[in-house]
Amino acid sequence: IVEDEPVVARDTAECLEGLGYEVLGPVASGEEAIEAIEVAESERPDGVLMDIRLRGEMDGIEAASQIQSRFGSAVVFLTAFVDRDLLKRAREAGVFGYLTKPYEERDLFATLEMALAKSESERTCKRAREALRKSEEQFRNIFELSADMVCIADINGYFRVVNPAFTKVLGYTQEELLGKPFLDLVHPDDKEKTLHVIQEKLEQGETIICFENRYIRSDGGTVHLEWTSRPNVAEGLTFAIARDITERKKAEQTLSQIMVAIESTREAIGISDGQGHHFYQNKALSDLFGYATAAELEAAGGGSAVVKDPTVAAEMFDKITHGKSWAGELEMVTKSGHVFPAFERADAVLDTAGNVIGLIGVITDITERKRAEEALRLHATIMDNVAEGIYMIGLDDLTIKWTN
């Protein structure tokens, strides 16, 4: 209650308390009212009954304007003075009610309840508008700053809205992107499947996840895109996010070529993780040792299972798990128990920090080489022990090349 006549203030307070309100104050001036509300903090009033003519330099209308803008309390004027100028100023101050003295208790109650309800409604709307503003700002930031391509397209096949990532990835201006059907940007070989997804999926209200196609850049290059799209059939709009997966596609192609090469080589290749768990082997390794899959070999003991001498296996594993290489001839054993000579080179696979993340071994069956070497040794022994002298000359220069 802001009232400079003590008797009126006391009577008003008693009336309000009788109606069930909790009364703070009263105070006699606008300055005191503002100060009291500032000090109150957690007990700031929901409503203020304000006389217009008050003590001090600030009248009730000016005080009401400050209170409502700063604190959001609903102000109701309670005054004996009624004229057009006052009513105009009160209206401009945005107060929630106006009562003239003397007043009826029921009129005071009705005016206060209406003012408090209107004030709460306005506060709710203000909070909703602020929440909406923040939400729009957050969406705008995400939309503008996203590295992914975000767009809204219409049923006629045109982009309605595109974010800056579109111009960055495709090289067109925003005007160019909005000014032509987006199918004109799709790679000719992908137009049919793109149109099929639009007609058979999106236009039927179905969300599309991880659809891939290619777009043509402004410079003529090709970009691989992965789309997630959700249609709003009622509004004829589709909301979509695309990710540039061109580099991933190149990496997949390179990996595919590497795998073809690995599977085609005659060398047996096996790969384990950093702890030595065998998880990959090429066809040559499967054929050489008789283990059809990497899982079968891992169940048998992994790479150590095909090394005949456990000491050699332990030495090899110790070296490569410490980031070093191991190479040498050794005896190896197949699933059926057949032992054969082999040459293996085993290396650690390191990450950029130098940590061991995998182990790779390349194995060559040297059985035929060993047989050839043995035959040569036998032949040399025979030649060195015959009674006859034997020599070999070169036909190019007729010089002696070898003698026994």
Side-chain angles (χ1 to χ4, degrees), residues 231-247:
N232 184 324
V233 178
E235 295 185 10
L237 299 174
T238 296
F239 302 87
I241 298 175
R243 178 164 294 177
D244 182 359
I245 59 170
T246 305
E247 292 304 315

Side-chain angles (χ1 to χ4, degrees), residues 15-37:
C15 178
L16 290 173
E17 288 171 345
L19 291 170
Y21 295 105
E22 180 183 353
V23 179
L24 306 177
V27 295
S29 69
E31 292 87 349
E32 290 178 305
I34 292 172
E35 182 180 356
I37 295 174

Side-chain angles (χ1 to χ4, degrees), residues 147-167:
D148 289 335
M149 302 159 66
V150 184
C151 69
I152 301 174
D154 63 27
I155 196 171
N156 298 315
Y158 285 82
F159 291 123
R160 288 277 192 91
V161 181
V162 294
N163 73 335
F166 260 87
T167 60

